[in-house]
Amino acid sequence: MPKRTTKPTRTAAPKAAKNGRGPKLARRAAPPAAARGFRPTKLKLLRPVPSNIEIAQAGKLKPILQIAAEVGLKPTDLELYGSYKAKVHLDVRDRLARRKSGKYIDVTAITPTPLGEGKTTTTVGLSQALGAHLGQKVFTCIRQPSQGPTFGIKGGAAGGGYSQVIPMEDFNLHLTGDIHAITAANNLMAAAIDARIFHEREQPDDEKLFNAFCPQDKQGKRRFVESHLRRMQKLGITAADPDALTPEQKRRLFRLDIDPASLTWNRVMDVNDRFLRQITIGQGPEEKGQTRAAGFDITVASEIMAILALTTSLPDMRERFGRMIFGTNTRGEPVTAEDLGVAGALTVLMKDAIMPNLMQTLEGTPAFVHAGPFANIAHGQSSVVADQIALKLADYVITESGFGADIGMEKFMDIKCRQSGLTPDVVVLVATIRALKMHGGGPRVVAGRPLDKAYTDENLALLEAGMPNMLRHIANAKRFGVPVVVAVNSFATDTEAEIQLVRQFALAGGAEGAYKCTHWADGGKGAVELGRAVMAAAKRPKHFQFLYPDDASIKEKIEAIAAFYGADGVDYLPEAEQKIELYTRLGYTRLPICMAKTHLSFSANGDLKGAPTGFRIPIRDLRASLGAGFLYPLVGTMRTMPGLSSRPAFVDIDIDLETGKVKGLF
């Protein structure tokens, strides 16, 4: 698929309103639902608000074929997974190619507390407001959650309250098996790496190695397979017949000479398991003493997950898999999945996972749930293909970037938009009173413990002290040339004076406005004002730009991002310096940077709140994700395998043996 971009609509900026809420917003009646072919699902709002799973299980589900028909998809566009979810074929883009693209909205957040600030809930609530209450064609595009956080400390990720994607249990658990496919593909490659090292050591004779990789068939003929041909092209070997290879060509083609000390490819699993971070493999007697140190990452940190989120087609995914580097040979040259001969098999394992998953919100608006890379470890975005399809089906596409704007939004702009050619029309910045108070110096917020009274009682001084965090995020978003709207995800304990103070600072900081949102308790109608603000902001001119150019050096890009955080500079450990030198020599300097950094602070220290200054960013190592198309520096002690807490969420999860319903899931 060729790259397509959404173009800004250049209209006059709306006049500022006198009420301190930002631009005055036109109040137009929504067209009749029947005229649009869409029928919203009516909510039955209860007080007090039940648990997320109770609301989700009481939600009225439309058949997924109805969801598809309402948005303009045909039954032949779908691969059904039961009655309420389906995968969508990528060739639907060809049929829709001439349609005008809708507006592209990125939802991000201020630096969150460990509880999260309701970014997904706001994404869904905004979509429900636009689709079910303001008469717009809308699509939600969000990530599929890892089972690590689902069974760990965070819980589910389908939204919350009356702003959720359903069926919630399917969303949070296996969905259509995409993450399992990634686990299988990643671990197939890990097994292939160790097996190749083992067999090359056990077989020093190049001719016998050639016979193993290119055996004779029953007629005594040898043939090259696809992976051989691709490696031959890389090496400049042009022989048409395997038997015509010279001894030197046989050695170059089939002996990789992998340096075990250079390996960067870990095994993965979709569970938080701290005891697998570092392990020793090869201790069985049949491995003949070929032990080495290794480890596990969580599945969503796999480069295969990053590729799923950024790829645009099956051929593109096949090429990206082939480019994945897992180490170097004994001559210091990079070795790839294509060299290993496994890229084709990885593509076969992932051929269904590339299709986005169609679901629905509680109010019956359509949602794509696809890909789930972490934002603090990887780039934290849902898939490009889901956005491409949605933008042709809807007037507004609401997507979400993981964690705070310093991580998720920056990676959305500099990685996802750079690779896809798509550019956003609006940034929605989610803020909460509790998070701003925390950044003002409030007591520590710990998941599973009651909030201190500082967060539940009105405290304007503490709130004002935390405003620099929001202001830095607003300023950072505006650096990309996109209008910013602040969504105040409101809790029952928030006071009108506190909301008004956020509005005052947001407008002073350059946002289009700040809007109280009660979508958790009220569904889409609790985000109608936000929806109108987003519609107005999407009409404003944008002047999109990246944070750094493609041709900047690796260090220049890292330092541009560090300055974006507010850092005074960057400190490179010796291993990072060596990798920068290596990747520069290998010609990887044009790749964007994906910082692996804590999400709890602008700095590398999660305890440093607010909008800190005077800090430096420590880079301890650098890794290349050539398939995904970025380099990722490891900042400080950032880990790629989380651990379970003393009381994980799985303690609450069970099943009702009479009804078969899941209990206790978020």
Side-chain angles (χ1 to χ4, degrees):
M1 289 288 295
K3 290 183 178 178
R4 289 188 283 275
T5 60
T6 52
K7 296 181 179 179
T9 303
R10 299 187 178 274
T11 58
K15 294 180 180 179
K18 295 180 180 179
N19 61 7
R21 293 173 181 263
K24 189 174 181 179
L25 307 174
R27 295 178 178 270
R28 296 183 212 157
R36 296 181 292 118
F38 166 73
R39 295 185 180 277
T41 303
K42 202 164 184 180
L43 291 177
K44 183 179 180 181
L45 303 176
L46 300 178
R47 298 294 186 270
V49 177
S51 70
N52 291 340
I53 194 166
E54 288 175 309
I55 293 171
Q57 290 177 342
K60 185 177 179 182
L61 283 157
K62 298 179 190 177
I64 202 65
L65 287 170
Q66 181 182 343
I67 294 288
E70 288 178 347
V71 81
L73 291 169
K74 301 176 181 179
T76 51
D77 295 329
L78 309 178
E79 289 289 338
L80 297 177
Y81 281 71
S83 300
Y84 303 113
K85 55 186 185 289
K87 281 191 167 291
V88 177
H89 292 288
L90 300 192
D91 58 11
V92 71
R93 292 174 301 181
D94 299 329
R95 177 166 62 81
L96 304 173
R98 293 174 180 249
R99 286 193 188 179
K100 182 181 178 181
S101 293
K103 298 294 186 180
Y104 197 30
I105 317 300
D106 181 47
V107 179
T108 185
I110 65 171
T111 307
T113 70
L115 307 176
E117 305 320 303
K119 193 164 63 283
T120 306
T121 306
T122 303
T123 300
V124 176
L126 173 58
S127 291
Q128 293 181 157
L130 289 168
H133 299 270
L134 294 172
Q136 305 301 307
K137 292 178 70 176
V138 66
F139 230 112
T140 309
C141 291
I142 55 179
R143 292 175 294 165
Q144 179 184 353
S146 164
Q147 288 181 176
T150 297
F151 290 118
I153 197 168
K154 183 177 180 292
Y162 288 101
S163 294
Q164 297 186 57
V165 173
I166 53 175
M168 187 258 257
E169 304 97 308
D170 293 17
F171 181 106
N172 283 308
L173 297 175
H174 304 285
L175 197 55
T176 56
D178 295 348
I179 293 181
H180 300 312
I182 293 165
T183 304
N186 185 102
N187 292 345
L188 172 62
M189 181 156 158
I193 293 166
D194 286 306
R196 187 62 168 261
I197 294 170
F198 175 83
H199 288 300
E200 286 192 20
R201 281 181 175 176
E202 290 297 299
Q203 186 51 268
D205 187 316
D206 292 338
E207 187 66 27
K208 289 183 178 178
L209 197 64
F210 162 69
N211 287 329
F213 278 104
C214 208
Q216 293 179 335
D217 61 20
K218 292 180 180 179
Q219 286 73 44
K221 297 287 186 181
R222 303 181 194 272
R223 65 183 182 88
F224 292 124
V225 297
E226 179 69 20
S227 61
H228 296 159
L229 296 172
R230 289 177 181 247
R231 180 160 167 77
M232 288 167 64
Q233 184 178 16
K234 172 182 174 179
L235 297 175
I237 298 173
T238 58
D241 183 352
D243 287 320
L245 292 172
T246 67
E248 175 59 23
Q249 288 175 330
K250 290 176 183 177
R251 176 177 177 80
R252 292 178 62 215
L253 184 57
F254 296 112
R255 189 172 292 279
L256 299 184
D257 286 327
I258 299 166
D259 178 7
S262 73
L263 295 179
T264 58
W265 193 268
N266 277 350
R267 287 161 172 80
V268 300
M269 62 188 306
D270 197 32
V271 173
N272 292 356
D273 193 343
R274 66 177 71 244
F275 286 94
L276 292 179
R277 289 170 179 165
Q278 288 188 313
I279 60 172
T280 301
I281 62 172
Q283 296 193 51
E286 294 184 356
E287 281 61 65
K288 302 180 180 180
Q290 293 191 27
T291 61
R292 70 175 181 87
F296 274 76
D297 296 332
I298 195 162
T299 297
V300 291
S302 170
E303 185 175 356
I304 293 174
M305 173 62 90
I307 288 172
L308 177 65
L310 292 167
T311 191
T312 55
S313 66
L314 196 65
D316 177 63
M317 186 168 70
R318 172 67 178 79
E319 292 297 323
R320 286 174 179 268
F321 285 162
R323 292 198 299 267
M324 292 190 302
I325 292 173
F326 60 86
T328 61
N329 60 23
T330 54
R331 297 176 297 282
E333 301 163 336
V335 279
T336 67
E338 198 68 74
D339 296 328
L340 195 61
V342 75
L346 303 183
T347 310
V348 170
L349 284 171
M350 294 292 294
K351 68 180 180 61
D352 294 330
I354 194 175
M355 296 184 285
N357 305 295
L358 180 64
M359 298 183 75
Q360 64 190 286
T361 70
L362 280 165
E363 295 194 61
T365 59
F368 276 139
V369 181
H370 197 218
F374 275 4
N376 53 357
I377 298 172
H379 69 289
Q381 315 298 322
S382 59
S383 75
V384 167
V385 293
D387 291 356
Q388 287 176 332
I389 296 171
L391 283 164
K392 296 299 183 181
L393 294 170
D395 300 324
Y396 295 90
V397 173
I398 317 298
T399 191
E400 174 196 342
S401 295
F403 292 125
D406 57 317
I407 298 185
M409 183 200 67
E410 186 273 320
K411 294 174 182 179
F412 173 82
M413 304 291 190
D414 282 320
I415 297 176
K416 186 176 184 180
C417 292
R418 196 184 297 262
Q419 292 199 26
S420 69
L422 303 172
T423 57
D425 296 283
V426 182
V427 167
V428 174
L429 183 71
V430 179
T432 61
I433 301 298
R434 73 183 182 195
L436 289 168
K437 287 179 176 178
M438 178 194 72
H439 289 297
R444 188 180 179 194
V445 177
V446 180
R449 296 182 191 173
L451 285 172
D452 188 274
K453 285 187 177 181
Y455 299 107
T456 56
D457 294 346
E458 184 177 286
N459 189 329
L460 296 179
L462 185 63
L463 179 61
E464 183 171 345
M467 291 298 177
N469 184 271
M470 181 181 73
L471 294 177
R472 183 176 290 178
H473 283 299
I474 292 172
N476 281 351
K478 288 176 68 66
R479 288 181 65 178
F480 292 99
V482 181
V484 182
V485 176
V486 174
V488 184
N489 183 24
S490 184
F491 293 80
T493 55
D494 299 342
T495 69
E496 189 54 41
E498 290 174 328
I499 300 291
Q500 185 59 36
L501 189 63
V502 177
R503 289 186 186 125
Q504 175 188 329
F505 273 86
L507 285 166
E512 303 296 307
Y515 302 89
K516 178 180 177 180
C517 300
T518 61
H519 45 272
W520 178 82
D522 298 322
K525 78 174 183 178
V528 165
E529 193 176 15
L530 174 65
R532 290 195 180 101
V534 167
M535 290 168 64
K539 295 176 183 176
R540 289 179 60 81
K542 64 178 180 181
H543 308 283
F544 183 80
Q545 60 183 3
F546 297 118
L547 192 60
Y548 49 79
D550 287 339
D551 58 3
S553 70
I554 294 173
K555 281 192 173 182
E556 286 172 339
K557 291 174 182 176
I558 292 172
E559 287 157 15
I561 297 171
F564 179 83
Y565 297 155
D568 284 352
V570 179
D571 296 322
Y572 302 93
L573 272 64
E575 191 169 0
E577 290 279 13
Q578 291 168 11
K579 290 288 183 63
I580 290 170
E581 183 182 347
L582 172 66
Y583 295 156
T584 300
R585 177 170 56 82
L586 293 173
Y588 301 161
T589 56
R590 294 187 64 83
L591 295 177
I593 298 296
C594 181
M595 296 283 241
K597 181 186 80 72
T598 178
H599 59 288
L600 296 174
S601 173
F602 278 109
S603 72
N605 178 1
D607 293 328
L608 200 57
K609 304 301 182 185
T613 57
F615 65 91
R616 298 180 67 81
I617 295 294
I619 307 296
R620 65 179 170 88
D621 196 5
L622 206 73
R623 296 180 184 173
S625 291
L626 254 63
F630 54 70
L631 303 177
Y632 67 103
L634 298 176
V635 179
T637 57
M638 190 68 220
R639 295 190 181 277
T640 52
M641 168 60 86
L644 288 172
S645 64
S646 57
R647 192 194 184 283
F650 67 69
V651 172
D652 298 313
I653 298 171
D654 213 318
I655 191 164
D656 187 316
L657 297 177
E658 292 186 4
T659 64
K661 285 188 175 181
V662 175
K663 302 186 296 183
L665 184 61
F666 200 44

